[in-house]
């Protein structure tokens, strides 16, 4: 089994759903996670705070410069992630499809480098 990263792509400035809709969405996400666990594909998943909470550490002249805020400006940011195990890219894409339907957000599926 190979490992894949399912990245939840969050739009900058997007409005969160109303509380009732958010509660239903989170129930659906948890059901998706349960399905991953039952299939033996679950590794880890979690949501992230917005990029304004980021701290960037950058090597500079033999030291490390620490700055607040996101590294790059963009229209989208990483809102959450899910690490899964899948036999191949097609299976990982199917999990990504399910994640997109559950979260109602774009999902980027990427394999890890040099897996055997």
């Amino acid at each position: 089994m190979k490992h894949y990263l399912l990245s939840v792509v969050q739009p900058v400035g997007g409005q969160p759903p109303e509380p009732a809709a958010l509660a239903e969405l989170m129930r659906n996400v948890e059901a998706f996670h349960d399905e991953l666990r039952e299939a033996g594909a679950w590794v880890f998943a979690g949501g992230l705070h917005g990029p304004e909470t980021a701290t960037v550490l950058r090597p500079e002249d033999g030291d490390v410069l620490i700055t607040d805020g996101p590294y790059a400006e963009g229209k989208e940011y990483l809102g959450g992630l899910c690490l899964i195990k899948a036999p191949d890219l097609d299976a990982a894409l199917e999990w990504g499809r399910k994640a997109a339907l559950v979260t109602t957000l774009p999902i980027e599926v990427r394999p890890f480098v040099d897996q055997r």
Side-chain angles (χ1 to χ4, degrees), residues 5 7 13 24 29 44 57 61 71-72 81 89 91 98 100-101 104 111:
L5 175 66
S7 300
E24 180 179 353
V29 167
F44 174 81
L57 293 89
D61 299 326
Y71 172 71
L81 57 94
L89 180 60
K98 290 179 180 187
L101 292 171
T104 70

Side-chain angles (χ1 to χ4, degrees), residues 29-41:
V29 167
E30 192 53 42
F32 171 68
H33 292 166
D34 289 343
E35 185 180 353
L36 283 168
R37 287 182 188 98
E38 290 169 13

Side-chain angles (χ1 to χ4, degrees), residues 5-56:
L5 175 66
L6 307 183
S7 300
V8 180
V9 179
Q10 185 78 35
V12 170
Q15 296 299 315
E18 295 295 323
L22 181 59
E24 180 179 353
L25 186 132
M26 294 312 296
R27 281 192 299 275
N28 293 339
V29 167
E30 192 53 42
F32 171 68
H33 292 166
D34 289 343
E35 185 180 353
L36 283 168
R37 287 182 188 98
E38 290 169 13
W42 169 267
V43 176
F44 174 81
L48 297 170
H49 288 283
E52 69 280 357
T53 66
T55 302
V56 179

